[in-house]
Amino acid sequence: GQVAFTSVLKKPEQTFEQQCRTDEREVHRALEESASLSAKGDNSMALERAKEAAKLERALSKKREEH
């Protein structure tokens, strides 16, 4: 699959701030998906994506506190 393929590629190391920005984009993407699902009436999946976004946000906040 694509995940296995991308893990083989060597990427340059990201700085802490670059990693945080990547994490922020992931949080935002999850929130956007949640809003889209809610607008389509798929409230259970919207709730799951919102919970995932909250979990990602907490992890990002913790990472920043510890740095």
Side-chain angles (χ1 to χ4, degrees):
Q2 185 175 358
V3 174
F5 179 72
T6 57
S7 65
V8 172
L9 297 176
K10 296 200 184 235
K11 295 181 183 178
E13 290 294 317
Q14 287 187 330
T15 66
F16 179 76
E17 266 311 304
Q18 288 171 326
Q19 184 59 50
C20 287
R21 286 191 184 107
T22 300
D23 293 349
E24 286 172 353
R25 284 191 291 274
E26 181 65 23
V27 170
H28 186 75
R29 187 183 63 75
L31 286 173
E32 289 289 330
E33 280 185 31
S34 175
S36 178
L37 288 164
S38 180
K40 293 176 185 174
D42 191 351
N43 294 324
S44 64
M45 283 302 296
L47 178 59
E48 289 303 312
R49 291 302 287 158
K51 286 180 179 179
E52 183 180 336
K55 180 179 165 185
L56 292 168
E57 176 64 28
R58 282 191 301 274
L60 175 59
S61 293
K62 185 176 179 180
K63 180 193 286 190
R64 283 194 165 137
E65 278 182 18
E66 291 174 352
H67 188 264

